[in-house]
Amino acid sequence: MGLANAGADVGARKSMTARADMVSGSDAARSDRAGDDCGAELRTTAPPAGRAATAISTTTGTGTGTGTGPERDGELPRDAPRPRPVDDGQSSAHCAPPMPAHVGAVEQRLLDDPRLLGDIAEAIGGPFHVLFPERVAVNVSAFQAAFTAAGVDGFVYFGKKANKAACVARACAENGAGIDVASTGELIAALAQGVRGEDLMVTGPAKSDELLWLAARHRALIAIDALDELDRLAALGLPARILLRVLPGGSTSRFGLDPVELEQAVQSVASHGPITLSGFSFHLSGYDAMARAEQAVALVGHCLRARADGHPADTISIGGGFGVDYLDADAWVRFQENLSASWFHTDPPTGGYYPYHFPTPGADMLAAILAHNNLAGLLRGNGIRLAVEPGRALLDRAGSSVFRVQGVKTRAAHGEPYDILTVDGTSLSLSEQWFASEYLPDPVLWPPRSGHRTPTCVGATTCLESDLLSRRRIPLPRRARVGDLLIYPNTAGYQMDSNESPFHELPLPPKVVLRDSGDRLRWSMDAR
């Protein structure tokens, strides 16, 4: 597996669009996406702004229920222009090409079931998220298998900021993974789902005294980000295990210790005192496997020097940033090569795009890191444990977001009609829309019915013009009707809850847990 496929030049995210009036705690959300596991991600430059669409007619269907209303639901008057069918596999001048997502086995069973999605939607009565914890277990096992295959002592910490669901934390506890937390709330939630304190890593800048105290009490591994943070931890007088977070050379990140601070930190920790220097950590933006491997080598050097001063220094953490493969290669190439402003209902995104096709994702990327310059041999030879903190990668194909169609209108652009849907949720449940970007895996229209591919964009149930779940015109397999469901696939990693807000006093979409019980799928509400 080539490292060239696992990494590439990194383009920084541009600032979010000026819609912060809709988001409470937007600074925290921005920070989460700009560093650590999400990072300043690989992006494809967006095209120039396109022309605005012009209205030709409107309608909102009158049917009720979940895709079971009469055929007229969501239809236009007889004399109104209809969207023209789109050829399979092809984009048109005003419609994006199809971009179907990779789908896991449990999710496919859910989509294929003729009743289950409708039953859940009727019971919930609004938008909801579906989570598949068995898939989390599969992803954890894949990372663990990569360590085993390389003969390396490794440990997986799930980056909890990627999803708040209790069932995800429980899946980690049940499958031998720890959790990376960055707040008192996250730490308590992890403990509540059975994760042992010694299997927690506490990261983030300027940790509160309360968080430091609780972490030390539970013997969590604490990544120290600043000298004053180390001083405050020492003042607690409690035994504690720490990593020192290293600022990589040439980085302008606000996180980590520069070389002078790092040396001061090492010297300030007594070799036989209450604080144990267990090792070092770093975080890199983007998805460059080679850069992670080379930075890991530097951390091994720090460990060896610290050992000379009497510290155990037997652990390094390379953070997260393990890519996810959402789309097949052909769909991703077709999108990049043909990207056009004319595909979008409004101005196209300005912040570029996540690398939705990732040839060496998740655990394969970890294997590539371990193989580079025989990093695995270096770790084995020096008795050093490698920790990783994936977030998105442990949630690959582990959840989807479901919205009900509440209204259908038709508009025209460049002389071509298309549909605009209004669904019963907001783009705050699809956080990529809030980073000057677009979530590219196509939503699935349910239930399946015959029809013609129809250019369609998707709006939210708010009063904000910019609140769109899909700005681009997606070639849905048929015209949507009021009462249909739209299922956005693979949203468990950051998309479904990192930006959610009760704007308009709308309730936050609940999380539904789906489990395979053999002959059928069973669902329940998530504990949180």
Side-chain angles (χ1 to χ4, degrees):
M1 59 194 68
L3 283 162
N5 287 333
D9 292 337
V10 176
R13 285 187 183 274
K14 296 185 179 181
S15 62
M16 281 195 275
T17 52
R19 297 181 285 176
D21 58 319
M22 188 172 173
V23 187
S24 61
S26 58
D27 288 342
R30 185 182 295 109
S31 173
D32 279 351
R33 293 297 299 271
D36 292 355
D37 180 56
C38 275
E41 298 167 349
L42 290 167
R43 294 283 163 175
T44 300
T45 303
R51 290 180 292 173
T54 56
I56 58 173
S57 62
T58 67
T59 182
T60 55
T62 57
T64 58
T66 308
T68 58
E71 193 66 20
R72 66 179 179 274
D73 288 352
E75 294 292 336
L76 294 170
R78 291 180 182 274
D79 58 347
R82 281 352 190 236
R84 299 175 186 172
V86 177
D87 292 336
D88 286 356
Q90 302 294 324
S91 63
S92 69
H94 73 299
C95 184
M99 285 182 283
H102 298 308
V103 177
V106 175
E107 182 171 14
Q108 190 61 57
R109 285 182 62 188
L110 175 64
L111 294 172
D112 292 342
D113 191 296
R115 292 179 297 274
L116 184 55
L117 259 175
D119 290 346
I120 298 172
E122 184 174 356
I124 299 299
F128 60 95
H129 307 299
V130 187
L131 287 154
F132 318 119
E134 291 159 359
R135 179 69 192 196
V136 176
V138 169
N139 295 334
V140 168
S141 295
F143 273 85
Q144 294 167 336
F147 283 128
T148 300
V152 169
D153 177 16
F155 195 75
V156 180
Y157 294 91
F158 166 62
K160 197 174 189 311
K161 63 180 178 289
N163 197 290
K164 302 179 182 73
C167 67
V168 173
R170 178 64 61 94
C172 291
E174 292 175 343
N175 291 277
I179 293 187
D180 160 29
V181 302
S183 70
T184 301
E186 287 187 342
L187 190 153
I188 293 170
L191 291 172
Q193 294 305 316
V195 181
R196 294 183 293 261
E198 64 189 24
D199 292 336
L200 296 175
M201 183 182 293
V202 183
T203 60
K207 302 170 192 65
S208 68
D209 289 346
E210 178 71 13
L211 179 56
L212 291 173
W213 179 82
L214 197 59
R217 291 279 298 176
H218 285 279
R219 296 292 293 161
L221 189 57
I222 305 170
I224 294 296
D225 185 69
L227 291 173
D228 64 329
E229 185 175 83
L230 180 57
D231 290 340
R232 289 189 291 110
L233 177 62
L236 296 176
L238 296 173
R241 299 185 301 135
I242 68 168
L243 302 179
L244 296 178
R245 179 166 176 171
V246 177
L247 177 66
S251 173
T252 59
S253 172
R254 67 187 179 96
F255 305 114
L257 299 159
D258 67 24
V260 173
E261 294 167 333
L262 185 65
E263 181 60 26
Q264 290 177 346
V266 172
Q267 295 303 318
S268 69
V269 178
S271 58
H272 299 290
I275 295 179
T276 300
L277 178 54
S278 297
F280 300 85
S281 68
F282 70 85
H283 286 263
L284 293 179
S285 295
Y287 301 94
D288 192 330
M290 194 178 306
R292 282 167 170 76
E294 292 171 353
Q295 187 66 31
V297 172
L299 292 198
V300 172
H302 287 309
C303 284
L304 297 181
R305 287 187 290 275
R307 285 178 181 178
D309 290 334
H311 301 289
D314 57 6
T315 301
I316 64 172
S317 175
I318 63 173
F322 294 89
V324 167
D325 189 36
Y326 290 87
L327 306 172
D328 67 37
D330 290 344
W332 178 232
V333 169
R334 186 166 59 243
F335 177 85
Q336 291 180 293
E337 290 181 349
N338 297 290
L339 183 59
S340 169
S342 66
W343 292 349
F344 294 84
H345 169 67
T346 59
D347 291 345
T350 59
Y353 301 89
Y354 181 90
Y356 283 97
H357 174 62
F358 203 92
T360 314
D364 289 341
M365 181 175 167
L366 174 59
I369 292 170
L370 291 169
H372 182 61
N373 289 341
N374 195 26
L375 173 62
L378 182 67
L379 296 169
R380 287 195 304 268
N382 289 283
I384 291 176
R385 164 179 274 200
L386 179 65
V388 293
E389 303 164 37
R392 188 192 299 257
L394 292 190
L395 298 166
D396 183 24
R397 308 181 203 183
S400 298
S401 298
V402 183
F403 304 90
R404 178 184 174 274
V405 176
Q406 291 193 154
V408 183
K409 294 183 177 182
T410 294
R411 292 290 185 265
H414 317 288
E416 298 286 345
Y418 64 96
D419 281 352
I420 302 177
L421 309 183
T422 296
V423 297
D424 60 355
T426 79
S427 62
L428 289 166
S429 296
L430 202 65
S431 69
E432 198 71 17
Q433 305 303 104
W434 287 81
F435 291 88
S437 189
E438 175 92 343
Y439 189 67
L440 293 186
D442 285 348
V444 176
L445 181 60
W446 190 95
R449 292 194 183 99
S450 61
H452 296 290
R453 283 185 179 266
T454 303
T456 307
C457 63
V458 184
T461 185
T462 70
C463 62
L464 298 183
E465 190 72 51
S466 57
D467 192 4
L468 296 166
L469 285 80
S470 293
R471 299 182 187 93
R472 73 190 187 284
R473 300 177 191 94
I474 297 163
L476 290 182
R478 62 172 174 84
R479 295 202 73 210
R481 311 189 307 197
V482 169
D484 287 343
L485 299 179
L486 274 183
I487 300 95
Y488 281 83
N490 210 354
T491 58
Y494 289 101
Q495 299 301 321
M496 65 173 57
D497 68 9
S498 69
N499 278 34
E500 282 192 326
S501 162
F503 185 63
H504 279 319
E505 298 192 22
L506 294 168
L508 297 183
K511 293 186 174 73
V512 170
V513 181
L514 198 67
R515 299 183 188 276
D516 183 355
S517 62
D519 61 335
R520 60 179 295 188
L521 298 174
R522 295 183 181 275
W523 68 278
S524 61
M525 303 303 296
D526 187 58
R528 176 173 175 176

